[in-house]
């Protein structure tokens, strides 16, 4: 029987420690207090804990907590940061866990501080006798922005459990794939001049017009080459998101920048896509006599797919009674998978409540989530 009183108390403590990660330094916070609290809790349960600061970021850290030793076993993973919040839109203090109608409200309650007390409740039954294979808890930094925590782990190459479950809010439906994300900026530098004589300059906006046409044909090519029926939007997408250029009607536009995202399907390689884009833009630049540069606005997230017939997917489907599906959001899954582990995203709560005011986790999903984790621990570690 899951002790909901302990669950509420633990989640209340986690929610009370702000750990916003944000691309804007003004809003960005440390996650150390959350990581230290989790480290203490797991150390008290007999786990060996390691708090690892991110390279060059002493105020951000990952936690790795391990129970038992040897090879194989299971990883349970989650991120410790939250997105920023708009205080005036909340009906209660986002940092004070508030219970209403069998829901626990608070910033990060569902995405995803609420997963860690689920783990705490699940592991209590397994700490009295030695495990056959290790159980590892990973708590990462900066998932909501750069995924720097998961990237740092992927570089270390030493958490090779058989399986990893990331407890993002999926309503306890296993997620075995999502698209990759690239966010790119293309900058065209021409030459400004008086608009009365086109020969006095080289118009960056006119060049950008051709760049955009080329991006749209690239999209067309990608969509005819790649389709995946497991996704609601079954093709890769490329969205022209914003554009800035020029200043006055009577000046030839000297500079123009376009930002777009590209969402790749499993089987597509983001680095290759970036190289393809460069290869297409170079001859345009030459022909139009402008400079065209392509830069990534954020480090890309690879597409993720765990095979439908892999042991972990089948196991999660059997335990939850839900078929594994795709998600519309990106996760740290591709980075854990790079470590050689079968990886699935599966946790309590709904992504519909994430990243918005009055975020909550429904209490009725806690006990079922604890049961699923206990069965997974039994399967992989006992
Ligand atoms: Zn999340």
């Amino acid at each position: 029987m899951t002790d909901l009183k302990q669950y509420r108390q633990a989640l209340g403590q986690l929610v009370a420690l702000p750990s916003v990660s944000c691309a804007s330094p003004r809003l960005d916070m440390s996650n150390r207090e959350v990581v230290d609290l989790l480290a203490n809790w797991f150390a008290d349960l007999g786990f060996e804990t390691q708090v690892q600061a991110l390279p060059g970021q002493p105020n951000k850290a990952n936690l790795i907590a391990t129970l038992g030793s040897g090879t194989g076993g299971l990883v349970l993973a989650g991120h410790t940061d939250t997105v920023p919040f708009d205080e005036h839109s909340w009906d209660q203090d986002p940092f004070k866990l508030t219970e209403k109608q069998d829901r626990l409200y608070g910033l990060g309650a569902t995405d995803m501080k609420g997963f860690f007390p689920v783990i705490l409740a699940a592991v209590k039954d397994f700490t009295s006798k030695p495990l056959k294979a290790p159980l590892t808890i990973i708590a990462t930094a900066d998932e909501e922005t750069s995924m720097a925590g998961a990237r740092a782990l992927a570089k270390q190459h030493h958490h090779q459990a058989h399986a990893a479950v990331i407890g993002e809010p999926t309503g306890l439906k296993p997620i075995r794939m999502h698209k990759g994300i690239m966010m790119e900026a293309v900058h065209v530098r021409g030459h400004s001049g008086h608009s009365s004589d086109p020969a006095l300059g080289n118009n960056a906006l006119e060049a950008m017009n051709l760049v955009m046409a080329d991006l749209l044909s690239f999209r067309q090519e990608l969509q005819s080459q790649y389709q995946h029926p497991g996704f609601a939007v079954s093709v890769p997408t490329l969205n022209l998101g914003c554009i800035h250029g020029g200043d006055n009607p009577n000046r030839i536009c000297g500079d123009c920048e376009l930002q777009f995202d590209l969402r790749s399907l499993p089987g597509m390689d983001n680095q290759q896509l970036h190289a393809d884009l460069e290869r297409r833009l170079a001859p345009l630049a030459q022909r139009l006599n402008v400079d065209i540069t392509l830069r990534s606005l954020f480090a890309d997230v690879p597409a993720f797919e765990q095979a439908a017939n892999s042991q972990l997917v089948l196991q999660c489907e059997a335990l939850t009674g839900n078929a594994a599906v795709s998600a519309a959001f990106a996760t740290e899954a591709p980075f854990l998978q790079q470590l050689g582990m079968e990886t699935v995203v599966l946790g309590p709560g709904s992504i519909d409540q994430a990243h918005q005011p009055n975020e909550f986790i429904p209490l009725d999903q806690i006990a079922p989530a604890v049961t699923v984790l206990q069965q997974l621990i039994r399967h992989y570690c006992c």
Side-chain angles (χ1 to χ4, degrees), residues 79 111-112 143-144 168-169 355:
H79 60 85
D111 185 15
M112 57 172 287
E143 188 270 349
E144 298 289 5
E168 291 277 2
H355 297 202

Side-chain angles (χ1 to χ4, degrees), residues 11 22 78 96 99 122 156 250 261 282 294 302 307 335 346 351:
L11 181 54
C22 185
K96 188 173 185 300
E99 185 164 346
Q156 293 177 5
N250 62 358
D261 79 345
L294 180 72
F335 300 106
L346 170 68
I351 200 74

Side-chain angles (χ1 to χ4, degrees), residues 190-348:
H191 201 285
S192 57
H194 198 286
S195 66
S196 60
D197 182 357
L200 293 174
N202 196 1
N203 198 310
L205 265 173
E206 291 186 19
M208 185 61 88
N209 184 31
L210 297 176
V211 167
M212 286 161 71
D214 191 63
L215 288 176
L216 297 185
S217 38
F218 184 47
R219 177 173 75 185
Q220 191 64 50
E221 288 168 30
L222 292 176
Q223 292 182 340
S224 56
Q225 202 182 340
Y226 297 97
Q227 297 100 27
H228 197 309
F231 287 88
V233 178
S234 64
V235 288
T237 57
L238 186 160
N239 176 61
L240 306 181
C242 65
I243 189 164
H244 300 281
D247 47 32
N248 225 36
N250 62 358
R251 258 161 60 83
I252 295 169
C253 172
D255 279 282
C256 185
E257 183 166 285
L258 168 77
Q259 301 187 345
F260 62 96
D261 79 345
L262 200 168
R263 292 175 187 249
S264 52
L265 284 170
M268 297 169 73
D269 176 347
N270 291 352
Q271 269 65 49
Q272 185 58 48
L273 290 167
H274 194 94
D276 289 346
L277 284 163
E278 301 251 16
R279 190 176 42 73
R280 297 176 74 103
L281 294 173
L284 262 181
Q286 204 168 26
R287 179 155 65 84
L288 303 169
N289 196 27
V290 291
D291 284 335
I292 302 181
T293 49
L294 180 72
R295 71 176 207 281
S296 299
L297 293 165
F298 299 99
D300 69 288
V301 180
F304 159 66
E305 179 168 21
Q306 181 62 50
N309 61 358
S310 54
Q311 195 194 52
L312 178 63
V313 169
L314 297 174
Q315 187 76 17
C316 290
E317 289 181 328
L319 292 177
T320 61
N322 293 316
V325 288
S326 64
F329 54 93
T331 71
E332 296 172 322
F335 300 106
L336 294 189
Q337 200 184 37
Q338 280 168 18
L339 292 168
M341 302 185 279
E342 292 189 356
T343 304
V344 157
V345 184
L346 170 68

Side-chain angles (χ1 to χ4, degrees), residues 77-127:
H79 60 85
T80 57
D81 57 322
T82 72
V83 289
F85 61 102
D86 178 7
E87 194 155 17
H88 305 294
S89 312
W90 280 72
D91 295 336
Q92 60 281 314
D93 183 348
F95 297 107
K96 188 173 185 300
L97 194 71
T98 305
E99 185 164 346
K100 275 190 270 181
Q101 288 154 351
D102 295 325
R103 294 164 167 181
L104 296 175
Y105 290 83
L107 182 64
T110 196
D111 185 15
M112 57 172 287
K113 289 178 173 177
F115 185 58
F116 294 107
V118 171
I119 302 176
L120 284 175
V123 299
K124 288 213 164 94
D125 293 356
F126 297 91
T127 53

